[in-house]
Amino acid sequence: MSTIKHDASLYKIVVIHYLIAAVCFLVLAVMMLFSVDVFSGHYFQPKILAMTHMAVLGWGTLIIWGACYQLLPVVLETELFSKKLAWISLSLFLPGLIALVYSFWVFNPGIHMECGSILLLSSILLFTINVFFTARKKQQGSIQHDFIFTSSLCLAFTTLLGTALVFNFQFAFLPQDQLHFLKLHAHIGIVGWFLLLVIGVSTKLVPMFLVSSYHNTRLLLWSYYLIVVALLLFLVDAYIWGINYKTYFIVLIGSAGIACYLVFIGKCYKSRIRKTIDLPMMHTFFSLMLLAIAIIILPLIITYNLKNDPASVRYSLLYGSMLFMGWLTALILGQTFKTLPFIVWIKHYEHLTGKVQTPMPADLVQNNILKIQAVGLVVFCITFFGGCLFSSVLLKYIGISALLISAITYLVNVIHVLLHQSKTTTYDKV
Amino acid sequence: MIRFDITDQLSFMKMGIVESLRLVMDPELHINIIELGLVYGVKIDETNKQIGIEMTLSSPYCPMGESILSAVKNCIEGHFIGFQATVELVWEPVWSYDNITEEGKRLLSI
């Protein structure tokens, strides 16, 4: 049995990741508010590149790292290989992120952008080493182990390709144009890093949070192989031939893998003991719905791309923003308030449980603020994605304003949980 | 399910232990470990002032497992002064839905 135990040094690493990611989310929402007009053009432009990297690195990756340092030992039933590596990784990551995002925003592909990418690459390689050695400690492998390990390799590969793309702005050494490699860079990141990691971790956490009796991993085996095969086929095929008719078949294989994962979650949901679904778990199910919608958009992008129709650019932007700002954001907004309260609760109450009455982990969260955050997210998804689809600037403004509200409430709630003061009652008074 | 034998002198103490364990809550399900059917047995050694609890968890991957086990130990030692508690974690029989008491099912809206 491996459980969350309070470890002061690990606590600091985890908490700082959550806090910085929450600040990055707010910065991202502000960046989006000041550049609504760019969502009407092509996705390969400075401000979109800056916002995408803030979303995937500052928001998505940082919070996943924080959660990973705490949860990897639980999911893999072992201990984290090195806390020192985690600190070094973070201290390289932050200046790298700032340099990269700023250089994209003002579009200055020179020394700052190159240094930023090198710092990020070093940081991510250290994270990969940490995951590799943590996973290696585990004697008996599991499918979640395969998902997590493959995802960290993909993250390193994504960053390697990203660094090459940054240097290519100045030295133009890649055999094909930036856009060609951008598709590969984006998909190794989305599918290889985020999707595989999310499946690996969520297939342990969701059954646990729902107290589900379904533990069969056959579907997950199928999911893993179908997604990895689809990703490899896409990388080879798109590198050599670009988007073509075979891409439909590759999308079908990948979608079948995602479907296996969704069916697994569905079976856990059906066999759950805990009947009431709390708000954080509702965020999770909402995020899975957005993932399914984003996958449905893919054949449209291929069709328009094959016809050289400019609609392919609009749908690509919709697809990308639905994945990063829809699927990942909803998932993180929900899962933060499932994991962070547990981590903070253990720090305050583990030694007191059973002696005095303590609050439950869920009591550490401000539920009213969480509700505002949830409403903000739903309004954002409906109006912003609607705005992207129908090219309405007004809808995009409404959506991003709602996202800003979500980001502010999220940060306030994270700080509220982190600043929690111990409150106990003796059993005589209960 | 724990059974009580009224011919056993210690059965009332065992009942007291079980009652006190109702104070230990599952942090995710928000119901106590007795209603969840996690406690399989209670042993009392009056001579050596030892209380042994045999229990399981709803999942081997339960991230709060350690906290629940320490809560059980703290709870027993807090209520039965002078006694030392030991908690033995077992995985057989495997905990299932059927272990939940009628009251537990009602609380979980099952």
Side-chain angles (χ1 to χ4, degrees):
Chain A
M1 183 186 70
S2 184
T3 61
I4 295 177
K5 291 174 196 162
H6 179 61
D7 173 337
S9 54
L10 187 66
Y11 178 81
K12 279 184 196 157
I13 300 172
V14 173
V15 158
I16 199 87
H17 277 81
Y18 273 90
L19 193 61
I20 298 172
V23 173
C24 286
F25 181 41
L26 184 59
V27 172
L28 172 67
V30 174
M31 285 167 83
M32 286 175 76
L33 195 66
F34 283 105
S35 46
V36 177
D37 52 323
V38 301
F39 291 102
S40 312
H42 197 281
Y43 52 83
F44 192 62
Q45 52 175 303
K47 286 188 177 172
I48 296 268
L49 289 177
M51 286 184 284
T52 307
H53 284 85
M54 181 53 95
V56 298
L57 295 170
W59 173 225
T61 299
L62 264 190
I63 207 144
I64 287 176
W65 280 10
C68 268
Y69 291 137
Q70 183 74 58
L71 297 172
L72 266 186
V74 176
V75 173
L76 299 176
E77 295 171 74
T78 180
E79 279 179 19
L80 185 69
F81 171 66
S82 167
K83 288 168 210 155
K84 205 175 271 178
L85 266 189
W87 276 118
I88 299 171
S89 183
L90 180 66
S91 44
L92 293 172
F93 190 93
L94 289 178
L97 174 73
I98 295 166
L100 190 80
V101 171
Y102 177 73
S103 341
F104 273 136
W105 188 261
V106 296
F107 205 69
N108 179 13
I111 188 77
H112 296 108
M113 195 186 281
E114 286 158 5
C115 283
S117 66
I118 292 286
L119 285 170
L120 284 168
L121 179 65
S122 321
S123 160
I124 285 165
L125 286 177
L126 291 182
F127 171 79
T128 311
I129 290 169
N130 217 353
V131 171
F132 174 78
F133 284 106
T134 303
R136 218 176 62 155
K137 279 183 175 180
K138 166 104 172 133
Q139 296 296 311
Q140 202 182 359
S142 67
I143 189 63
Q144 280 84 7
H145 172 283
D146 296 340
F147 272 112
I148 294 167
F149 185 60
T150 313
S151 75
S152 61
L153 283 182
C154 286
L155 173 65
F157 191 52
T158 309
T159 320
L160 200 62
L161 188 53
T163 308
L165 282 168
V166 164
F167 278 85
N168 195 53
F169 279 125
Q170 200 172 356
F171 304 105
F173 59 91
L174 290 174
Q176 299 199 46
D177 66 274
Q178 296 278 107
L179 266 182
H180 186 78
F181 283 98
L182 189 70
K183 284 190 190 92
L184 307 183
H185 171 65
H187 280 90
I188 311 170
I190 295 169
V191 178
W193 163 232
F194 285 115
L195 184 64
L196 290 183
L197 188 96
V198 163
I199 296 179
V201 175
S202 67
T203 50
K204 274 278 188 195
L205 293 186
V206 171
M208 216 153 60
F209 289 138
L210 294 175
V211 197
S212 158
S213 56
Y214 186 75
H215 296 292
N216 193 338
T217 54
R218 205 163 53 94
L219 276 167
L220 296 180
L221 266 175
W222 275 102
S223 174
Y224 176 77
Y225 288 109
L226 287 168
I227 293 172
V228 170
V229 165
L231 179 63
L232 291 175
L233 284 176
F234 177 78
L235 295 181
V236 175
D237 186 66
Y239 178 70
I240 302 172
W241 292 286
I243 302 293
N244 59 76
Y245 285 101
K246 290 194 292 299
T247 317
Y248 283 114
F249 178 65
I250 295 169
V251 168
L252 191 69
I253 298 174
S255 307
I258 294 170
C260 287
Y261 161 62
L262 294 176
V263 171
F264 175 87
I265 296 290
K267 283 182 183 275
C268 290
Y269 180 83
K270 273 190 181 167
S271 64
R272 75 194 189 280
I273 288 169
R274 184 182 176 161
K275 294 296 172 197
T276 47
I277 302 292
D278 55 25
L279 209 46
M281 286 310 285
M282 277 185 199
H283 277 80
T284 305
F285 293 120
F286 181 57
S287 86
L288 294 177
M289 193 183 79
L290 292 169
L291 171 66
I293 298 171
I295 301 303
I296 294 168
I297 299 172
L298 268 175
L300 284 174
I301 299 173
I302 302 169
T303 306
Y304 287 122
N305 205 301
L306 293 175
K307 286 183 192 168
N308 281 326
D309 189 323
S312 74
V313 173
R314 187 156 43 100
Y315 281 108
S316 296
L317 198 68
L318 179 66
Y319 165 73
S321 48
M322 195 169 276
L323 283 177
F324 291 129
M325 301 313 299
W327 168 55
L328 270 178
T329 297
L331 190 70
I332 296 171
L333 289 181
Q335 286 301 309
T336 296
F337 297 113
K338 289 303 283 185
T339 53
L340 190 62
F342 271 90
I343 294 163
V344 175
W345 185 89
I346 285 182
K347 178 190 172 218
H348 287 273
Y349 300 111
E350 190 180 47
H351 59 292
L352 295 172
T353 51
K355 291 179 186 165
V356 285
Q357 199 192 34
T358 64
M360 292 284 112
D363 300 332
L364 272 58
V365 179
Q366 280 275 10
N367 222 31
N368 287 336
I369 299 181
L370 191 61
K371 279 179 193 162
I372 301 170
Q373 176 204 290
V375 172
L377 178 72
V378 173
V379 172
F380 163 74
C381 289
I382 295 169
T383 51
F384 183 76
F385 299 141
C388 286
L389 191 63
F390 302 112
S391 304
S392 160
V393 176
L394 178 69
L395 281 178
K396 285 178 203 166
Y397 263 115
I398 297 171
I400 294 171
S401 306
L403 185 74
L404 191 63
I405 293 169
S406 262
I408 294 168
T409 49
Y410 176 78
L411 181 62
V412 169
N413 225 347
V414 165
I415 293 172
H416 176 81
V417 174
L418 295 180
L419 295 181
H420 176 78
Q421 299 293 316
S422 299
K423 288 173 204 153
T424 56
T425 320
T426 57
Y427 286 125
D428 316 343
K429 289 182 183 167
V430 176
Chain B
M1 178 64 79
I2 308 159
R3 292 184 186 280
F4 297 102
D5 176 3
I6 55 162
T7 60
D8 178 0
Q9 290 178 35
L10 296 170
S11 64
F12 285 103
M13 187 175 170
K14 276 187 187 176
M15 282 171 80
I17 291 169
V18 169
E19 282 311 306
S20 66
L21 287 179
R22 286 184 199 278
L23 294 168
V24 180
M25 306 291 279
D26 180 297
E28 187 56 32
L29 290 170
H30 299 196
I31 68 167
N32 69 64
I33 60 169
I34 297 297
E35 304 300 2
L36 267 181
L38 295 179
V39 179
Y40 287 166
V42 176
K43 283 178 199 158
I44 302 167
D45 178 350
E46 237 192 340
T47 330
N48 296 310
K49 298 280 179 191
Q50 291 277 339
I51 295 173
I53 304 292
E54 191 184 71
M55 65 175 290
T56 191
L57 293 170
S58 58
S59 157
Y61 312 111
C62 176
M64 300 297 283
E66 199 80 32
S67 294
I68 297 174
L69 301 187
S70 75
V72 169
K73 189 172 159 55
N74 288 340
C75 182
I76 300 292
E77 289 177 353
H79 283 82
F80 298 88
I81 309 295
F83 278 83
Q84 280 236 310
T86 50
V87 185
E88 190 190 352
L89 185 62
V90 294
W91 299 109
E92 288 292 332
V94 177
W95 180 87
S96 78
Y97 173 89
D98 301 325
N99 288 37
I100 305 173
T101 63
E102 284 309 310
E103 176 61 9
K105 286 178 183 164
R106 189 189 65 78
L107 290 169
L108 286 167
S109 321
I110 299 175

